[in-house]
Amino acid sequence: MKRLASADRVFILTGAGISAESGIPTFRGVNGLWRNYRIEEVASPEAWHRDPRLVWEFYSMRRRVAAAAKPNAGHFALSKLGDTIGDKLLLCTQNVDDLHEQAGSRNVVHMHGELFKSRCDTCSRPPFPDSETYDPPAEIPRCHCGGRIRPHICWFGEIPFHMDRIYENLQRCTAFIAIGTSGQVEPAATFAAAVGDHARSIYIGPEEPANASTFTEVILGKAGDVLPSLLDGGD
Ligand code: APR
């Protein structure tokens, strides 16, 4: 990959792969989460309506796993890039863990929500920090409005967050770099195809993603191995 120039406006998209070296399972790889849980049973509005306790059991397990994880060299490389190029970087993640923030990245755009936040499923109260675990037989926490407290996660069938800001930055960026995402879930899977003609698009991961043909370049390697040298230095 040609080195990033100081004039580059960089859009970084991360997926579960960047947290894999921190011990957080991906979704579709070996031991992936969707090998052990059915999406429709734990990560959809219908699942929440049908069995909110099972949904909280799933997200409580994910909170415990993420709370024990530490950022890896890939997260720190992106944090350092942010320190170097400032507001010329937009870091967008599909991940709901907080490892980018723990590594020092700021203004992270969590398009699928945040694991350590919850919100009311009824009123418009803003999402709030919540690292509690609610395993059965714990009661489903209630809002003062009477609604049930749910994980602040974008479930299948719901609209991801910050999409206007994401598409605006996709159009303005000169370098789009996707890291650790299998390219199987919309809308992130078509971000590379949505950048302007003037931008280059690079994928970084140990295996080709399903949308590899939409990138100008694919770099095979693990995030923790590749990112520190790849992103170091400007012109
Ligand atoms: N470094 C970089 N990439 C890695 C690493 C690593 N060390 N290990 C695995 N990967 C790659 C895999 O090759 C795979 O392409 O990470 C990708 C993980 O793909 P998925 O498990 O499909 O995760 P992701 O693409 O983030 O899923 C997108 O799907 O289930 C929904 O909302 C959930 O945000 C998630 C979305």
Side-chain angles (χ1 to χ4, degrees):
M1 177 183 104
K2 186 163 73 72
R3 281 207 175 284
L4 293 172
S6 55
D8 268 322
R9 299 194 64 80
V10 182
F11 188 116
I12 301 259
L13 170 71
T14 60
I18 196 162
S19 295
E21 291 160 82
S22 296
I24 297 183
T26 62
F27 293 95
R28 295 170 184 86
V30 174
N31 298 324
L33 275 175
W34 300 142
R35 298 253 183 279
N36 305 308
Y37 291 88
R38 291 166 55 79
I39 289 172
E40 53 275 13
E41 288 176 354
V42 292
S44 70
E46 296 73 20
W48 176 249
H49 180 72
R50 183 173 55 247
D51 189 348
R53 286 170 182 266
L54 180 61
V55 172
W56 265 122
E57 186 180 324
F58 177 63
Y59 286 97
S60 294
M61 174 278 292
R62 293 186 63 191
R63 281 183 174 175
R64 279 191 289 272
V65 170
K70 294 280 172 271
N72 63 61
H75 295 106
F76 287 112
L78 293 177
S79 170
K80 189 175 170 197
L81 178 68
D83 292 343
T84 308
I85 69 172
D87 61 8
K88 287 202 287 289
L89 168 66
L90 184 111
L91 175 53
C92 173
T93 185
Q94 299 173 94
N95 299 342
V96 293
D97 62 57
D98 60 354
L99 296 183
H100 282 305
E101 289 87 348
Q102 286 190 43
S105 289
R106 292 178 298 283
N107 308 318
V108 180
V109 177
H110 283 274
M111 63 182 285
H112 288 167
E114 296 178 71
L115 189 57
F116 295 111
K117 286 187 179 171
S118 296
R119 70 173 195 258
C120 176
D121 71 353
T122 303
C123 73
S124 55
R125 167 185 176 190
F128 54 92
D130 178 13
S131 54
E132 291 299 315
T133 54
Y134 303 107
D135 285 304
E139 281 303 307
I140 304 291
R142 287 281 174 175
C143 176
H144 42 70
C145 80
R148 293 178 303 184
I149 299 299
R150 59 165 278 183
H152 178 50
I153 298 287
C154 174
W155 284 328
F156 284 88
E158 295 184 322
I159 310 285
F161 304 106
H162 314 296
M163 291 310 294
D164 292 345
R165 182 175 169 208
I166 286 171
Y167 280 111
E168 183 191 315
N169 280 275
L170 284 171
Q171 277 302 307
R172 288 170 54 202
C173 76
T174 58
F176 172 79
I177 305 175
I179 304 161
T181 177
S182 63
Q184 298 182 56
V185 173
E186 294 298 352
T190 46
F191 284 1
V195 300
D197 300 339
H198 52 284
R200 54 196 170 115
S201 51
I202 300 108
Y203 178 75
I204 299 169
E207 56 196 336
E208 287 226 336
N211 58 350
S213 63
T214 64
F215 290 89
T216 51
E217 185 178 0
V218 172
I219 299 174
L220 293 181
K222 293 163 75 172
D225 295 342
V226 171
L227 291 181
S229 55
L230 197 72
L231 298 178
D232 195 14
D235 282 321

